[in-house]
Amino acid sequence: MTDTSFLDTLLSRQSVKFVQAPGPDDAQLDCILQAAMCAPDHGAVHPWRLALVRGANVPALVDVAVRVAEAEGKPLLERKVENARRWLARVPLVILLGCRPDPQGRIRVEESRLSVAAAVMNMLNAAHALGYHGFWSTGLGTYLDGLGAALGFDALDEHFMGYLSIGTPIDAIEPKQRPDYRTLLREWSAG
Ligand SMILES: Cc1cc2nc3c(=O)[nH]c(=O)nc-3n(C[C@H](O)[C@H](O)[C@H](O)COP(=O)(O)O)c2cc1C
C-alpha cells in the first residue's frame, strides 16, 4: 500500500532559516531524535553524536564560535557574527551535529560522516512531518579546529558537523521550485 501522505511530506520539505517558538515538544523531539537512529549505518557504528541546545542557550552559541575563532587567530567577520546573532535570536532549538567514526577503523570515516548526514535528513523530514521547519548550517565556525571541543564533543574522537535549527517559520513561506530530476539523470546499461 502506498503511503501518499508520507510521500507528500518528503516532496514538500524545505529548509527555513528564520524560525521561532514553538519548537517541538518533548514527545515530538523524541520522535525527531529517534528518526536519526534510522539512518543507514555501515557496520552498525552508530556514529551519531547529537547535543541539544534550547531556549536562552541558543544565542550563546555565537559567543562560543567568536571566542574560539579569536583564540585560533581566525576572527569571524563582523557581518557574519551579526547575521548569526539575527538567525539564532529566536530559534527555540538547535541540535549540534557530531560524528564519531568507527573506533576500530573498519569503516571509512567518510561513511560515518555520510551516515550523520543521512541522520540529519531524517530529522529534517521528521520535523517537517510534525509541522516544523529546520535548517542545517555550517556557517558559524564549524570548521574551526577547536569548536567541537568547546561545544562538548570529544576533541580526539568526535567531529563537529554543524547546527540543525528547528522551529516555526517567522515569515510566510512559498513552496519551493525543485529541479526536474530528468535533467540530472542518465541511464547506464552494459555494453
Ligand atoms: C552540510 C550542509 C551545510 C550547510 N550550511 C549552510 C550554511 O552555512 N549557510 C546556508 O545558508 N546554507 C547552508 N546549507 C544549505 C541549507 O541547509 C539548505 O539546504 C538550503 O538553504 C536549501 O534549502 P532546501 O533544503 O529547502 O533545498 C547547508 C547544507 C548542507 C547540506
Side-chain angles (χ1 to χ4, degrees):
M1 197 180 67
T2 306
D3 183 343
T4 51
S5 73
F6 175 70
L7 293 174
D8 286 346
T9 300
L10 276 189
L11 293 173
S12 62
R13 185 212 65 83
Q14 65 186 80
S15 301
V16 175
K17 181 170 182 176
F18 290 95
V19 294
Q20 61 187 352
D25 65 23
D26 287 351
Q28 292 170 326
L29 185 54
D30 273 355
C31 179
I32 291 167
L33 296 169
Q34 199 57 41
M37 307 293 114
C38 300
D41 173 19
H42 190 180
V45 170
H46 303 172
W48 323 291
R49 294 294 183 275
L50 307 173
L52 300 179
V53 184
R54 292 187 257 201
N57 290 303
V58 171
L61 290 169
V62 183
D63 302 322
V64 177
V66 166
R67 209 170 49 240
V68 172
E70 272 169 14
E72 294 186 9
K74 301 168 196 156
L76 301 178
L77 293 175
E78 195 51 42
R79 179 181 50 80
K80 216 168 175 177
V81 174
E82 284 314 309
N83 285 343
R85 289 200 196 285
R86 205 161 51 83
W87 165 42
L88 292 176
R90 292 162 75 180
V91 170
L93 168 69
V94 172
I95 302 175
L96 303 177
L97 308 167
C99 174
R100 184 170 194 265
D102 181 15
Q104 273 105 51
R106 295 165 304 139
I107 304 298
R108 285 172 182 265
V109 171
E110 185 194 4
E111 294 200 1
S112 289
R113 293 176 67 87
L114 290 169
S115 181
V116 172
V120 176
M121 193 70 249
N122 270 8
M123 290 192 283
L124 281 166
N125 279 321
H128 178 49
L130 292 162
Y132 301 100
H133 281 79
F135 184 77
W136 184 1
S137 170
T138 48
L140 184 59
T142 294
Y143 301 111
L144 290 167
D145 292 339
L147 189 62
L151 293 172
F153 292 96
D154 187 302
L156 293 179
D157 298 328
E158 297 176 352
H159 312 170
F160 179 53
M161 290 181 60
Y163 311 83
L164 176 60
S165 52
I166 298 177
T168 301
I170 294 175
D171 299 314
I173 48 171
E174 292 293 322
K176 193 164 188 169
Q177 276 293 326
R178 296 296 185 181
D180 181 334
Y181 73 87
R182 292 171 195 83
T183 64
L184 303 165
L185 180 76
R186 64 190 172 86
E187 181 149 339
W188 181 88
S189 55

